[in-house]
Amino acid sequence: MAQSTPSAYLNGAAIPGVLLELFRVSSTLTVSDFDYELPPELIAQTPAATRDGSRLLHLDASGALHDRRFPDLANLLRPNDLLVFNDTRVIKARLTGQKATGGKVEVLVERIVESHRALAHVRASKSPGPGTTLRLADAFDVTVLGRAGELFDLQFPAPVLDLLDTHGATPLPPYITHAADATDEDRYQTVYAREPGAVAAPTAGLHFDQDMLDRVAELGVERAFVTLHVGAGTFQPVRVDNIADHIMHAEWYTVGQPVIDAIARTRAQGGRVIAVGTTSVRALESAAAQNPAGPDAPLTPIQGDTRLFITPGYRYRVVDALVTNFHLPQSTLLMLVSALAGVEPIRRAYIHAVAQRYRFFSYGDAMFIESPSA
């Protein structure tokens, strides 16, 4: 696809500016409809020994559940299907340091808005005000320019990506308890990652190694790429009871002409569009939702922010099936998969996964979800 260059991402609009979304969230659902009990020991702290070594829970189009291994996915794909991957690359976005007063700070870069400027989460005993200098990694100083909502606008002394590559750490999710190490730098990154900008991995893609990619290609399954830079908001639960009141976090995405052409070929040949990960879903469905010609018009290339909030009642325009990991209780991603398969089938699947001791979240096992309407 026509790749989004780092500069295209760096010059992206600030988080609040997004196109008008075309879909309303159901006002009848509450966050309790998307809760479940998860024993803490089922939260995977490390990846499987090999990328394709995870289990796969298959929820088929009839609602039946099948316990499989991830390599079995190849047997569930059909010639002329299309796998759509998110090629974002996780940046070393986490930095620690101190204020001039000596107080400790932790910085998580959320978005690079210019070469030397970034929006970041800053944790400190007292929020730093404009003009405050923060010493990071005991190596360089950044200046707080102001606030953008919950984020801090920081001025860096050199290109942000360069400083993060040298001094930053891989930003593991909050439910992983160990500090990032060399193994995480490799395994918390897809083998096809190429567009730097994410602060969380598109974790469904972590299961694919090159052998698996080659195998599905030999079966006549095409693959294409979108880019969506995953933000830290992906881990946040919905904190309002009525989900229609939730304000969705924004993420930067690109859908180019090559993936649009691949989707057209797939439709013409009777294949399915299978998103690898909820981030690929959000990119593809946002391209439809934000299409100036209307959500049911043919897709056109698009790049920008999305706040698309997919909940049950949403009609998928692009995606027919989904490869995904298991998601946090009360999360927007659990709502997204429930919109694809139905609330009750997903609820049954999660009860089954807990009972069968599947491993959950970023380093955990996978699901293959086929839409009942596909």
Side-chain angles (χ1 to χ4, degrees):
M1 65 184 281
Q3 296 301 317
S4 59
T5 64
S7 60
Y9 168 58
L10 300 177
N11 293 329
I15 283 180
V18 295
L19 293 174
L20 176 66
E21 301 295 359
L22 303 178
F23 306 96
R24 294 187 180 275
V25 175
S26 171
S27 61
T28 62
L29 295 170
T30 66
V31 70
S32 61
D33 293 317
F34 303 95
D35 201 7
Y36 65 93
E37 293 294 328
L38 179 66
E41 65 271 18
L42 296 186
I43 301 174
Q45 296 295 316
T46 56
T50 59
R51 285 187 180 268
D52 67 350
S54 295
R55 297 165 72 187
L56 179 73
L57 179 57
H58 175 203
L59 176 59
D60 70 23
S62 72
L65 293 168
H66 311 271
D67 296 307
R68 307 186 190 277
R69 305 297 302 181
F70 191 78
D72 296 334
L73 176 66
N75 301 323
L76 304 175
L77 303 177
R78 309 166 189 163
N80 301 321
D81 279 347
L82 171 67
L83 289 174
V84 181
F85 298 87
N86 179 8
D87 65 1
T88 188
R89 186 171 188 83
V90 179
I91 58 177
K92 295 182 179 182
R94 193 178 300 281
L95 296 158
T96 57
Q98 60 186 29
K99 296 185 284 187
T101 58
K104 293 182 178 180
V105 297
E106 182 178 294
V107 171
L108 177 65
V109 171
E110 172 81 15
R111 177 173 297 207
I112 302 169
V113 292
E114 293 177 358
S115 174
H116 290 54
R117 236 182 87 224
L119 298 178
H121 302 271
V122 177
R123 293 180 59 185
S125 58
K126 183 179 179 181
S127 294
T132 302
T133 297
L134 308 177
R135 182 73 173 173
L136 300 180
D138 200 25
F140 61 93
D141 295 333
V142 300
T143 302
V144 178
L145 300 178
R147 295 286 293 269
E150 296 181 352
L151 302 176
F152 290 79
D153 191 351
L154 303 181
Q155 181 73 40
F156 285 70
V160 180
L161 280 176
D162 293 345
L163 291 171
L164 293 179
D165 282 343
T166 303
H167 302 288
T170 300
L172 294 178
Y175 46 74
I176 292 180
T177 57
H178 68 266
D181 57 23
T183 297
D184 298 301
E185 290 185 17
D186 174 46
R187 294 296 299 276
Y188 196 63
Q189 194 85 264
T190 63
V191 298
Y192 47 80
R194 54 189 174 188
E195 299 293 332
V199 300
T203 54
L206 299 180
H207 301 283
F208 288 83
D209 58 16
Q210 191 57 52
D211 286 345
M212 183 67 168
L213 294 173
D214 293 342
R215 183 181 174 196
V216 297
E218 291 169 0
L219 295 172
V221 175
E222 192 173 358
R223 65 175 181 261
F225 297 90
V226 295
T227 302
L228 184 141
H229 293 313
V230 193
T234 191
F235 302 117
Q236 296 301 314
V238 175
R239 294 191 172 94
V240 293
D241 186 51
N242 189 326
I243 65 173
D245 297 329
H246 176 68
I247 298 175
M248 191 69 177
H249 62 285
E251 292 172 315
W252 179 263
Y253 78 105
T254 301
V255 174
Q257 191 63 52
V259 69
I260 292 170
D261 292 341
I263 291 169
R265 286 193 297 272
T266 298
R267 296 288 186 229
Q269 296 166 352
R272 298 171 297 174
V273 176
I274 302 171
V276 178
T278 56
T279 60
S280 295
V281 170
R282 276 173 52 74
L284 292 170
E285 295 296 324
S286 293
Q290 298 180 333
N291 189 340
D296 294 308
L299 295 178
T300 57
I302 190 169
Q303 181 179 65
D305 271 325
T306 178
R307 289 184 185 269
L308 182 63
F309 187 13
I310 297 177
T311 65
Y314 173 88
R315 180 168 65 85
Y316 278 81
R317 265 74 177 178
V318 184
V319 174
D320 301 310
L322 169 64
V323 180
T324 187
N325 282 22
F326 293 96
H327 302 294
L328 292 160
Q330 302 184 7
S331 66
T332 62
L333 300 184
L334 187 55
M335 296 171 192
L336 181 152
V337 298
S338 297
L340 182 66
V343 174
E344 285 304 319
I346 291 295
R347 184 175 290 137
R348 285 192 294 101
Y350 273 62
I351 291 172
H352 177 88
V354 170
Q356 296 300 314
R357 312 292 290 179
Y358 277 74
R359 300 169 77 238
F360 277 65
F361 306 157
S362 294
Y363 276 153
D365 295 317
M367 286 188 72
F368 180 50
I369 302 171
E370 296 178 284
S371 169
S373 61

